[in-house]
Amino acid sequence: MSSQLPTETVSTPAPPASTRAGLEPVIRAENVWKIFGPKADSIIGTPDADLSRSELRAKTGCVAAVHDVSIEVWPGEVFVVMGLSGSGKSTLVRTLIRLIEPTAGAIEIAGQNVTSASTSELRSLRRNSVSMIFQHFGLLAHRRVIDNVAFGLEIRGVPKQERLEKARAVLGVVGLEDVANSFPDQLSGGMQQRVGVARAFVGDPTLMLYDEPFSALDPLIRRDMQDEVMRLQQETGKTMVFITHDLPEALRLGDRIAIMRDGKIVQLGTGEELVGSPADAYVENFVRDVPRSHVLTLRWIMRDPAPGEERDGPELDVTTTVRDAVPVLAGSEKPVRAMQDGRVVGVVDRVAVLKAIAGEGG
C-alpha cells in the first residue's frame, strides 16, 4: 500500500448535513447484506449473523461478503469505498445496481426502488441512470473509438447522427477528439481508459460507479486519470462512487471515504477525519504513513481565540491544509486566524501545527 500523497490539497468534503435541506440522496442503502452459500437468507437475524467471517464459514459454509451496510451518497459527491482485497467493496457496489443480488436490505437510486425493480426496470436504470467503469476497459476491438463511445446510445436507439455528435463532443471533453477514428488497439492503456470514461459520460447518467478502474495502469498514467476524474467531476457535478484499495487515491478523490473490512464499514468520514481520528487499529494502520500535514486542515487543529486574537494576525480559510499554513505561520509572530464565511472561527498557532505534524494533534 503506497503512502505517497499528491502535492495538492485533497478534495473538498461534500456539503454538511446542515446544507442538505430539501435534497434527497442519489443512493440510499439500508441494512444491505450479501451472503454467499447455502440457505444464506436464513442467517440474517440469527446469532450466526454476528459471527466473524471465518467463524461463519466454518459453521455454515457461508460467507458474508457485505455485512449490514447502510450508506447515503449525496448529489455531486465523490464517495469512495476502499479496503483490501476481499473486504467486500466491489461486491457492495455491484449489489447497488443488482449486478449481484443482495441477500437482504433496501436500496434506492435517484428515488427508484432498486430492490423491487423488475428486470426491465433494472435494464432501464443501468442504461439511463447509472454508468459503471471497470478496471478492464471492455472496448469493442472491431469498432472505432467514436463508435465505442456511442455504443450505449446505439443500444438505446438514438439515431446515428445524433449519437455520433454526442460521442464526438464527449471525446473533446476527455481530449481524444484526434483519435475518434482510430481503433482501440492503436491506443495506449491510458487512452483506452479515457475512451471508457467517455463512453460512461456520453449518456449523461445520474450516477457514475468506478470499480478500481485505474489499478492496472502505470503510476503516472494512473495519476493523469485521477486528474481527469477530478476535472470531469468539477465540470459536470456528477455523483460518483469510486472503489479503490489505494489510500492516496481515496484521499485525493473522495469527499467521503468508507473503509471496509470483512464486509463491514469500519469507518466512514472525510479523509481528514480518517487521518486525524482513526476509529480503530485497522484504520490507524491504513493511515499511519500518511503525512498528516497534507490532509489535516486548520479546522482540525484550531482553538478558540484568546482575547484580542480574533482581531489581529494573518487570515487563512479554515479549509487550508496544515502544510500550506506553515509558511504563513513562519512569517508571523501572531497566530493564524481561521476564516469561514468572512468570520473568525478559530486560531492556529505554531504549537498546534507542530503537534499535528508530529501526530499528537487532533
Side-chain angles (χ1 to χ4, degrees):
M1 182 170 53
S2 171
S3 62
Q4 182 180 0
L5 276 180
T7 56
E8 67 271 24
T9 305
V10 293
S11 57
T12 303
S18 59
T19 67
R20 294 175 186 159
L23 295 178
E24 288 293 325
V26 175
I27 298 175
R28 178 183 280 120
E30 298 178 345
N31 308 116
V32 175
W33 291 76
K34 178 58 188 179
I35 301 177
F36 294 99
K39 300 180 180 179
D41 55 353
S42 66
I43 292 173
I44 300 169
T46 72
D48 287 346
D50 296 323
L51 296 175
S52 69
R53 180 177 281 186
S54 59
E55 291 171 334
L56 181 67
R57 183 190 295 112
K59 182 175 181 180
T60 68
C62 293
V63 175
V66 177
H67 188 288
D68 197 20
V69 167
S70 297
I71 59 171
E72 290 181 334
V73 179
W74 295 90
E77 181 176 20
V78 180
F79 187 93
V80 174
V81 184
M82 71 164 298
L84 301 178
S85 178
S87 62
K89 57 189 185 297
S90 292
T91 303
L92 172 62
V93 170
R94 283 168 166 77
T95 63
L96 295 177
I97 54 174
R98 285 177 55 194
L99 288 176
I100 294 176
E101 288 289 341
T103 306
I107 301 167
E108 290 184 5
I109 293 180
Q112 181 175 349
N113 188 326
V114 178
T115 314
S116 62
S118 65
T119 301
S120 61
E121 289 171 335
L122 275 179
R123 188 181 302 116
S124 176
L125 176 76
R126 295 167 186 165
R127 285 182 178 176
N128 301 307
S129 299
V130 181
S131 284
M132 195 160 187
I133 302 171
F134 297 93
Q135 175 181 336
H136 303 290
F137 317 129
L139 302 181
L140 302 172
H142 63 288
R143 291 197 171 205
R144 299 176 302 162
V145 164
I146 193 168
D147 297 317
N148 268 277
V149 173
F151 184 66
L153 299 178
E154 180 180 346
I155 292 176
R156 292 190 202 175
V158 175
K160 183 175 182 178
Q161 182 175 350
E162 180 182 349
R163 68 177 183 256
L164 291 180
E165 287 177 355
K166 289 184 176 181
R168 192 170 287 109
V170 175
L171 283 172
V173 171
V174 300
L176 291 179
E177 59 269 38
D178 292 341
V179 297
N181 293 314
S182 300
F183 288 89
D185 63 0
Q186 296 174 301
L187 307 181
S188 67
M191 294 174 75
Q192 289 183 34
Q193 192 59 290
R194 285 177 188 264
V195 175
V197 171
R199 182 175 58 187
F201 267 91
V202 75
D204 194 27
T206 302
L207 175 65
M208 310 283 294
L209 302 178
Y210 292 82
D211 189 6
E212 300 203 63
F214 310 143
S215 59
L217 300 177
D218 292 336
L220 290 179
I221 298 175
R222 180 172 185 157
R223 185 178 176 83
D224 287 343
M225 289 306 304
Q226 292 168 3
D227 289 340
E228 191 73 11
V229 168
M230 293 166 67
R231 181 180 68 83
L232 290 171
Q233 201 281 331
Q234 290 169 0
E235 292 181 2
T236 66
K238 292 292 182 188
T239 306
M240 299 180 180
V241 176
F242 197 98
I243 308 303
T244 183
H245 64 272
D246 184 74
L247 180 61
E249 185 167 71
L251 291 171
R252 191 158 192 250
L253 298 177
D255 294 317
R256 289 187 299 152
I257 302 167
I259 295 185
M260 293 191 70
R261 182 187 188 190
D262 291 343
K264 301 178 183 178
I265 292 179
V266 294
Q267 187 168 0
L268 195 166
T270 65
E272 185 174 14
E273 289 167 342
L274 268 58
V275 172
S277 185
D280 60 16
Y282 181 75
V283 179
E284 186 174 7
N285 186 54
F286 254 110
V287 304
R288 66 182 178 183
D289 295 327
V290 174
R292 291 164 61 88
S293 64
H294 290 210
V295 180
L296 299 185
T297 66
L298 301 189
R299 180 186 287 110
W300 193 260
I301 65 170
M302 67 186 184
R303 57 172 173 80
D304 293 334
E309 284 185 326
E310 74 277 4
R311 296 190 300 271
D312 194 15
E315 297 180 357
L316 288 174
D317 190 273
V318 72
T319 61
T320 304
T321 61
V322 171
R323 180 194 59 187
D324 290 339
V326 167
V328 179
L329 272 167
S332 172
E333 295 299 322
K334 304 284 187 179
V336 164
R337 292 181 291 167
M339 307 297 293
Q340 184 174 13
D341 298 328
R343 63 186 183 89
V344 179
V345 293
V347 296
V348 174
D349 55 30
R350 296 178 182 180
V351 172
V353 168
L354 289 172
K355 285 183 177 181
I357 293 174
E360 301 169 2

